Amino acid sequence: GAAGAAHWRAYVDMLPREVDSLLEWDLAELAMLQGSAHVPRALSRIALVDAVYDQVFPALTDADPTLFGMPAVSPAAVAAVASIDGAGGRGGNMSAASKAQQRAQQYTTREAFCWAYATVLARAFELPDLGPTPAGQMGL
């Protein structure tokens, strides 16, 4: 609910709006790193992110079409709006549902998913297990 959203707000507000991750580089930019071990790893990671995106978003929207703030609209309603718009009834005006759908779609693009993935990846790490820690010492 709203209390949960408020709890995370300060953290989310501090996240970078842009990340400079190899996930976002195109093939020409990656070619500049040719010979580096980073290129195959980046290509592998890009393929993984694409595969996850292609699998997860359709499954989530099939399970709950309203999940990402997109209003549930029947095909008949879509056809009715299209016929009104096509007849010049509303011209260039957007319905509230269309505006909500447009806002929600900006957060469900491949680029938005790539940003989220790169942002989480940049902040998530695993510390190696160094075995038993001697008494009185921190296991860092």
Side-chain angles (χ1 to χ4, degrees):
H7 175 77
W8 290 103
R9 176 141 187 129
Y11 177 75
V12 171
D13 285 347
M14 289 183 356
L15 293 174
R17 298 297 173 240
E18 294 180 19
V19 292
D20 188 19
S21 168
L22 294 179
L23 288 173
E24 297 177 317
W25 287 27
D26 62 30
L27 293 177
E29 292 170 317
L30 286 173
M32 292 186 284
L33 298 177
Q34 214 49 33
S36 163
H38 296 296
V39 175
R41 184 168 171 96
L43 292 173
S44 173
R45 185 69 53 85
I46 290 167
L48 171 68
V49 170
D50 285 343
V52 170
Y53 177 82
D54 291 342
Q55 184 178 15
V56 168
F57 275 87
L60 290 173
T61 54
D62 286 348
D64 181 0
T66 64
L67 181 64
F68 297 109
M70 295 188 209
V73 179
S74 71
V78 171
V81 169
S83 69
I84 292 170
D85 283 344
R90 292 193 329 200
N93 294 336
M94 269 187 150
S95 69
S98 295
K99 288 178 185 177
Q101 185 172 8
Q102 188 177 41
R103 279 193 307 273
Q105 285 176 340
Q106 73 182 340
Y107 300 113
T108 59
T109 63
R110 186 211 171 277
E111 291 77 18
F113 182 73
C114 187
W115 168 85
Y117 192 96
T119 300
V120 169
L121 194 62
R123 285 153 180 76
F125 57 90
E126 185 176 324
L127 294 174
D129 182 9
L130 301 176
T133 304
Q137 293 185 6
M138 293 179 64
L140 300 177

